[in-house]
Amino acid sequence: MLSQAQVSQLLSLLPVPTFLLNAQGACLQRFGPQAASDCVDAFLPQDTIAKVYRAEKAQWLISQLQAALAANAPLEVEFSISQHDRLQPHPDSSDKRWFSANLQALDFSVHGENLVLLMLHDISHYQQQVQKWAFYDEVDLLSHLYSQRRMSKELSAHFSLYHRHHAPCSLVLFELDCFDELQQQCGHNLSDNIIELVGKICVSAIRQEDRAFRYHHNGFVILMPHTDTEHAWGLIDRLRKALHLQLLEMDLPQACTSISGGLSQFHHNDQRYMEVLNRADTGLLHAKELGRNRICLEHLH
């Protein structure tokens, strides 16, 4: 049998901070690495959960202990702790930290109490990376407009709203004229600068309720809720002229200083939002056939 000193030494070698807690959230013992004292202090600097956290957070944490006791099986939970959750602000400058906890009820009691072993992992860095990946998934890093993936979500949501409430909704799909030729002649640095510039102009030109997206290589989509094509036309034409003036200042060939696009709106017989986007794409092709530097309205069959 191991001596008490040997058991204590083994427990100190646990790779993460570990707490022995009762069903009321009182900590009877701490184990684990001394180097993780920051993690310990961030979670439970005092001996009782109720002394550290406001009622709502304390009740939730205690409920997890009680759930582990009731299940009598390993339980894993993830949770965040913010300064608002605490009775006293923690000196840690970060407003929120994320933890993963493994809880296991002991199969024996100590002094008549049922206890839970809680192993704590600080996963704040991982959560920050997850949030960063989510941001990159939603935003195009070059234009700083919403991404094509976000566009699919937004169009789907607005398409459903349209069929419920029948409020008008329009979109324009436009491309930079002769962009591929310009990229071949002048390289990616200049073309990247142009994409970034277009993103800035779109953000400054659209209304608060509108959404701008980068679409494929040199395409852009602007979604205009509560707006039919008649009223959307003025906004898009102003955007077209603003882009033209800004691109002229970059000393580009004349053919590369304009945009061509197609304008469409949701209709009651549309089955999918892609039908609206396809009509805008048809308008874009028609604008190119007519000599570029224009926005063409959809044609309904």
Side-chain angles (χ1 to χ4, degrees), residues 281-299:
D281 188 47
T282 300
L284 165 62
L285 294 175
H286 189 50
K288 290 182 177 181
E289 291 170 355
L290 293 175
R292 298 189 172 92
N293 192 21
R294 68 195 69 216
I295 305 294
C296 287
L297 189 62
E298 65 183 354
H299 289 283

Side-chain angles (χ1 to χ4, degrees), residues 154-170 223-228 265-273 276 279:
E154 292 268 357
L155 288 183
S156 179
H158 281 279
F159 189 74
S160 297
L161 285 173
Y162 169 76
H163 279 288
R164 284 204 300 270
H165 304 295
H166 305 290
C169 188
S170 299
L223 178 67
M224 294 162 282
H226 309 291
T227 308
D228 58 22
Q265 71 180 52
F266 294 4
H267 290 281
H268 64 88
N269 56 344
D270 289 330
Q271 300 298 311
R272 301 175 300 119
Y273 71 78
V276 189
R279 288 197 300 273

Side-chain angles (χ1 to χ4, degrees), residues 124-187:
S124 300
H125 178 70
Y126 169 74
Q127 282 293 334
Q128 289 169 1
Q129 291 299 113
V130 168
Q131 291 170 8
K132 186 182 295 185
W133 295 331
F135 174 80
Y136 291 160
D137 196 43
E138 296 273 302
V139 176
D140 174 66
L141 296 184
L142 187 56
S143 66
H144 303 292
L145 301 178
Y146 286 123
S147 67
Q148 191 169 333
R149 183 184 292 271
R150 174 65 179 266
M151 184 190 79
S152 297
K153 295 178 183 177
E154 292 268 357
L155 288 183
S156 179
H158 281 279
F159 189 74
S160 297
L161 285 173
Y162 169 76
H163 279 288
R164 284 204 300 270
H165 304 295
H166 305 290
C169 188
S170 299
L171 66 82
V172 64
L173 165 61
F174 69 87
E175 290 183 355
L176 294 156
D177 290 333
C178 304
F179 185 78
D180 289 336
E181 293 87 339
L182 179 69
Q183 191 174 61
Q184 290 173 4
Q185 293 177 12
C186 302

Side-chain angles (χ1 to χ4, degrees), residues 100-269:
S100 173
N102 298 92
L103 298 94
Q104 173 66 63
L106 301 184
D107 58 3
F108 56 88
S109 62
V110 177
H111 302 304
E113 282 195 295
N114 295 321
L115 303 178
V116 175
L117 201 65
L118 184 151
M119 301 180 70
L120 188 70
H121 308 260
D122 188 338
I123 58 171
S124 300
H125 178 70
Y126 169 74
Q127 282 293 334
Q128 289 169 1
Q129 291 299 113
V130 168
Q131 291 170 8
K132 186 182 295 185
W133 295 331
F135 174 80
Y136 291 160
D137 196 43
E138 296 273 302
V139 176
D140 174 66
L141 296 184
L142 187 56
S143 66
H144 303 292
L145 301 178
Y146 286 123
S147 67
Q148 191 169 333
R149 183 184 292 271
R150 174 65 179 266
M151 184 190 79
S152 297
K153 295 178 183 177
E154 292 268 357
L155 288 183
S156 179
H158 281 279
F159 189 74
S160 297
L161 285 173
Y162 169 76
H163 279 288
R164 284 204 300 270
H165 304 295
H166 305 290
C169 188
S170 299
L171 66 82
V172 64
L173 165 61
F174 69 87
E175 290 183 355
L176 294 156
D177 290 333
C178 304
F179 185 78
D180 289 336
E181 293 87 339
L182 179 69
Q183 191 174 61
Q184 290 173 4
Q185 293 177 12
C186 302
H188 285 275
N189 287 339
L190 178 61
S191 61
D192 287 353
N193 290 339
I194 293 172
I195 294 292
E196 186 176 0
L197 174 65
V198 172
K200 289 179 180 178
I201 296 172
C202 285
V203 169
S204 64
I206 64 176
R207 304 165 303 179
Q208 185 174 0
E209 65 268 27
D210 299 333
R211 294 290 182 269
F213 312 90
R214 187 178 178 194
Y215 185 62
H216 293 320
H217 173 49
N218 68 318
F220 300 85
V221 170
I222 296 178
L223 178 67
M224 294 162 282
H226 309 291
T227 308
D228 58 22
T229 50
E230 181 180 355
H231 291 90
W233 185 269
L235 186 150
I236 297 306
D237 199 50
R238 287 193 298 273
L239 173 63
R240 181 184 65 82
K241 292 174 180 176
L243 285 168
H244 178 60
L245 290 175
Q246 290 291 323
L247 293 172
L248 279 174
E249 292 184 4
M250 296 184 71
D251 198 26
L252 302 175
Q254 181 71 25
C256 302
T257 61
S258 59
I259 64 170
S260 299
L263 178 62
S264 63
Q265 71 180 52
F266 294 4
H267 290 281
H268 64 88
N269 56 344

Side-chain angles (χ1 to χ4, degrees), residues 63-76:
S63 73
Q64 302 308 302
L65 298 174
Q66 294 171 349
L69 287 167
N72 197 28
L75 178 67
E76 183 175 354

